Amino acid sequence: MLERTLILVKPDGVEYGHIGEVLSRLERRGYEIEALKMVQATDEQLAQHYSDKVDKPYFPTLVAYMERSPLVALVVSGVNVIKAFRTMAGVTNPTEALPGTIRGDLAKELSGDGIENVVHSSDCVENAEREIKIWFGDID
């Protein structure tokens, strides 16, 4: 099924120079990059994006991480791109992510409870469309 997804290269991915690696992996798989921009996340965007986590005790730490420096937002399309990119990204915890995945190769677990896991990707078509509107407004 042809679909589109939101991918965020998180601040750590930008800071450590992984934007090109993420883009290269997408392009090698033949996915189309429909939109791309560097943006400084705001409290409002993050509250909308992570609306299911706003009441969690770790939310302020998540906001601080996502606002510490710019991130890169992408709209990417292709056949089954949501599932495929989530497989390419690997599991959330970098220590558990398999080698060859973005997180397995590029992300890291921090001392304490933190992780820097390089990318976010939408988990379903409905969330992809909701998240794309948060970061890009109404685009076709």
Side-chain angles (χ1 to χ4, degrees):
M1 176 171 84
L2 186 63
E3 57 194 19
R4 63 186 190 164
T5 190
L6 175 84
I7 297 170
L8 300 176
V9 180
K10 295 179 178 182
D12 58 302
V14 174
E15 292 166 5
Y16 300 130
H18 299 315
I19 300 166
E21 177 70 22
V22 173
L23 293 175
S24 292
R25 289 180 187 217
L26 287 163
E27 289 176 331
R28 283 196 305 262
R29 292 288 298 260
Y31 295 119
E32 181 181 346
I33 298 168
E34 293 185 8
L36 179 152
K37 67 179 177 179
M38 184 171 274
V39 61
Q40 180 64 53
T42 66
D43 288 345
E44 182 181 336
Q45 285 172 314
L46 294 170
Q48 290 176 15
H49 184 90
Y50 292 113
S51 59
D52 61 326
K53 296 172 176 55
V54 172
D55 295 329
K56 304 289 185 189
Y58 59 82
F59 185 70
T61 303
L62 176 61
V63 169
Y65 163 57
M66 293 296 288
E67 289 183 348
R68 79 179 190 204
S69 62
L71 54 83
V72 172
L74 302 104
V75 178
V76 179
S77 63
V79 175
N80 295 317
V81 69
I82 293 172
K83 181 177 180 180
F85 187 78
R86 291 179 68 79
T87 300
M88 291 167 62
V91 298
T92 301
N93 186 325
T95 302
E96 298 170 6
L98 294 175
T101 64
I102 292 168
R103 292 174 175 151
D105 294 347
L106 306 174
K108 62 183 176 180
E109 190 167 2
L110 306 173
S111 61
D113 294 330
I115 59 172
E116 293 183 338
N117 62 5
V118 184
V119 292
H120 161 83
S121 64
S122 305
D123 62 355
C124 66
V125 171
E126 296 77 20
N127 282 339
E129 293 305 318
R130 181 184 67 80
E131 292 173 357
I132 289 167
K133 285 183 181 183
I134 293 167
W135 297 98
F136 287 92
D138 290 323
I139 66 168
D140 291 327

